[in-house]
Amino acid sequence: HPAPGITAAEATRDAVPYQALLDSVRTGQTALGGWDKTLFIDRVRLSLLSGSPQTTKTDATQHYGTVARHLIQDLMALSDQDAAPAIVVIQSAGTRRVGTSEVILAEGQFDLDNLTLPAIVPSPAYPWPLMKGTPATPSADASLLLDELSMLAVAEHHQGRRWFCPVMRAATIDGRTITAEFATMAELVLEDGLHGFHILGTQAKVKIINAEVIGGDKVALHLDADLPASGVSLAYAWGHCAPDNTTDNTANHGALRDEWTQPSKALPAHTLRRFALAGCVAVR
């Protein structure tokens, strides 16, 4: 039940969009009854707070978890199914010009923050283009590929296998080199183009002059100057601003993925890849 620009209040149990979703389920049940079939809800794609991008990471984390738990309870009761539907969250990427919303960071940790739920984050959205003329709407091809990745991730979940995108978990500094460590299912690959890393929290104009994968699960970032001893963070595919962006991509960008690939069945000319999630960690 799409609700563009949805706010926190519009996703509560008594809100109109929430009740409209439940009404859609009831309509589906009625329609299927005519063919002697029953409704089973396999997954729910959850996308919240697009109308409240200023929400803090803490509040966004709590909101996503609460809505997910309520949906699971209400949908299982309504469909009378024993298995909980998977709750799928595609990590959003912000807009063409601004990618500083902390909601993005909360979405990237949705599965880790809800370990007792069938929570899945199959992909970030930043690698794929936006619809022309819109500030943040994925293109038709992007939507199709992201849905296919969601389907694959849920299928792995049903088989009891893991699915997670590379996620930055720590960053350390030694001289003029930052080493970013990732949790990953396969060895990391840094594609050509803008690598997506940048430094936050310092007024010094320190630049990343080179990035390379080392050891399969780390990225070494070589700097052109020394960093301050404290108060510095490393961001990947998050926090970017591009006021003059005229491309069909979000300001947030990145080129890091793991080595898994698979031809798309929905769009055979495309190859599916498991890109790293956007994130931000303190540099130690």
Side-chain angles (χ1 to χ4, degrees), residues 58-115:
T58 299
D59 288 346
T61 297
Q62 182 178 6
H63 180 64
Y64 260 96
T66 299
V67 174
R69 286 190 294 273
H70 287 171
L71 277 172
I72 288 174
Q73 293 166 6
D74 293 341
L75 291 174
M76 288 182 68
L78 195 57
S79 62
D80 195 29
Q81 63 187 64
D82 295 328
I87 306 296
V88 174
V89 172
I90 297 289
Q91 186 186 40
S92 58
T95 70
R96 292 175 189 267
R97 297 188 174 185
V98 181
T100 57
S101 173
E102 291 186 12
V103 174
I104 298 169
L105 300 178
E107 290 171 338
Q109 295 182 193
F110 175 70
D111 51 352
L112 297 176
D113 290 330
N114 296 279
L115 295 175

Side-chain angles (χ1 to χ4, degrees), residues 1-6 17 20-21 24 45 47:
H1 186 83
I6 192 170
L21 185 148
S24 296
R45 166 88 173 270
S47 179

Side-chain angles (χ1 to χ4, degrees), residues 134-154:
T134 68
T137 304
S139 68
D141 283 359
S143 295
L144 198 57
L145 294 171
L146 287 169
D147 193 59
E148 187 174 6
L149 283 165
S150 299
M151 178 195 68
L152 291 171
V154 172

